[in-house]
Amino acid sequence: MIITQLDPELQHLLARAATLAADVDTTLWLVGGVVRDLWLELPIGRDIDLAVEGDINQLIAPLADAWDGTITARHPAFGTATITVGQWVIDLAQTRTEHYPKPATLPEVQPAPLTQDLYRRDFSINAMAVQIIADGDQLLPSPLIDPLGGVADLAARRLRLLHDQSLRDDPTRLLRGVRLAARLQLTPDAATASQIADALEAGYLALLSPERIQTELCLTLEEPNPAAVIALADEWGLTPHVIPGLHWTPALAERLSRYRQDTSEIARLAPNGLVIAGLVLYDLSDDELTSVLHRYHLPAPARNLIQDLVALRPHIATIAAATSPSAIDTLLQPYSIAALAGLHYATETPIQQVVSRYLHEWRPLRPPLNGDDLRHLGVPTGPQIGQLLRQLRAATLDGLITDRTTAEQWVRWHLVDS
């Protein structure tokens, strides 16, 4: 009966979907992580997985129209599609069997009944389903389908792969598995632990494209407790395969805890995932950080973060020795806020205090005059304006200029002096 625990808006969407599915002689099932989390009475995310038993192609467009949603992805060869509806991202997949001709390659698929579809999934706790049936706009209760013992494994806090070629077929299951185990406090059963060790020894993760690994790493950063995932990944021996040089250490644990517990504004100045990435990567050598840049096709903010860490770390002693706000501004201004937040949480108290004051007080500070004001005071258009603005900012940071009047006097004095 767990389907009636869903958000009322989502229940309404699924009831409409059930009616449309019946019209084209297909059956809809709620599957995967949503079913697991509903059973555990945990909050569900915005991603909803639906399995379609029957011809999915007859259902995609009518569903998008009925939901007033947008088809954001469609892969006819695999019988899958994604429809975005308001806050929901709904993934539809035709029930199928899969055959992997080579390790870590995309599968060859064939339509199949739901029971076979559940068996081709990764872990028993993700191989449960609930049929979506409705009476008009009302979702009706439907029993849990659990042919592979997912509920028993949840009760035992057990992570169990469904077949002995699972990690050979799709090595990303190693990375999904460690996230699940950390989030739900699961322990692999003996057979699964053996398969994990064998898959790592066989080097299956190295067969994945960097893009597929990067997607899984980004999902790790979005976990409620990324630190727990990283610690467990290191315990399992995964980290050297995805980020060589990364290890779980007391220092890493301490800085992540410091960030997680911080309620000050500095913790909200940069995206959460970016700051966590900086803290995780902080102890890597310059060569190891450079190898991350070469291995993964990172978005610009992440690339800038790594490049900033390489450039910033050698200057820690200079930052600590700086005696004025303007000197600190000169040292720190070139670097991203995410990199500076990482420096704040990864270093000792004196540096933390300097970086905190810089981010809170000095970096946002603007001098009383801008470029237009300087032109009105007689400064000719050209490089001198930029030079004076920098000097004006430095004087303001150091308290030599406190208001517009003293700023104008300062500019006039410099014009006469020049």
Side-chain angles (χ1 to χ4, degrees), residues 17-39:
T19 300
L20 285 173
D23 289 343
V24 294
D25 197 27
T26 59
T27 304
L28 280 181
W29 301 86
L30 189 69
V31 293
V34 173
V35 177
R36 176 198 68 228
D37 291 345
L38 286 172
W39 184 265

Side-chain angles (χ1 to χ4, degrees), residues 6-7 9-11 13-14 30-38 42-50 67 69-70 72 81-92 183 219 222 224:
L6 290 171
D7 179 275
E9 178 186 351
L10 181 58
Q11 288 195 47
L13 291 174
L14 295 181
L30 189 69
V31 293
V34 173
V35 177
R36 176 198 68 228
D37 291 345
L38 286 172
L42 296 174
I44 67 169
R46 62 195 295 262
D47 296 316
I48 307 298
D49 290 330
L50 299 181
W67 285 341
T70 302
T72 53
T82 300
I83 302 175
T84 301
V85 190
Q87 65 173 310
W88 309 107
V89 178
I90 302 177
D91 291 316
L92 298 104
R183 188 193 319 150
L219 290 172
E222 296 172 6

Side-chain angles (χ1 to χ4, degrees), residues 362-383:
W362 301 329
R363 188 170 179 126
L365 186 144
R366 296 292 178 265
L369 304 178
N370 58 30
D372 289 338
D373 295 325
L374 295 187
R375 279 186 283 270
H376 290 150
L377 290 170
V379 181
T381 300

Side-chain angles (χ1 to χ4, degrees), residues 368-369 377 400-412:
L369 304 178
L377 290 170
L400 303 176
I401 292 172
T402 56
D403 54 31
R404 187 178 183 89
T405 299
T406 56
E408 290 177 349
Q409 292 172 347
W410 182 90
V411 172
R412 291 189 181 100

Side-chain angles (χ1 to χ4, degrees), residues 95-219:
T95 54
R96 64 186 190 260
T97 59
E98 295 177 337
H99 169 66
Y100 292 80
K102 294 180 181 179
T105 59
L106 294 175
E108 299 170 354
V109 303
Q110 293 291 332
L114 175 78
T115 51
Q116 290 181 259
D117 180 86
L118 293 178
Y119 182 76
R120 59 96 186 167
R121 294 174 181 269
D122 47 12
F123 302 100
S124 63
I125 60 173
N126 290 337
M128 300 182 288
V130 177
Q131 186 176 351
I132 298 172
I133 53 178
D135 182 5
D137 288 338
Q138 185 71 38
L139 263 190
L140 298 178
S142 182
L144 179 73
I145 305 300
D146 179 27
L148 298 164
V151 167
D153 286 335
L154 285 174
R157 296 290 179 184
R158 182 167 52 231
L159 185 72
R160 180 168 59 86
L161 287 162
L162 290 180
H163 55 90
D164 58 10
Q165 295 297 308
S166 184
L167 302 181
R168 174 261 186 205
D169 291 345
D170 184 359
T172 63
R173 290 168 175 166
L174 285 162
L175 304 176
R176 293 203 298 277
V178 77
R179 289 201 308 274
L180 278 173
R183 188 193 319 150
L184 302 177
Q185 298 180 318
L186 308 176
T187 300
D189 70 344
T192 298
S194 178
Q195 289 181 61
I196 291 170
D198 291 346
L200 293 176
E201 184 178 356
Y204 287 146
L205 282 171
L207 302 178
L208 293 170
S209 68
E211 290 79 8
R212 293 182 71 187
I213 294 179
Q214 183 175 319
T215 296
E216 301 297 328
L217 294 179
C218 290
L219 290 172

Side-chain angles (χ1 to χ4, degrees), residues 331-343:
L331 289 166
L332 301 185
Q333 193 278 331
Y335 304 110
S336 66
I337 291 177
L340 295 176
L343 183 68

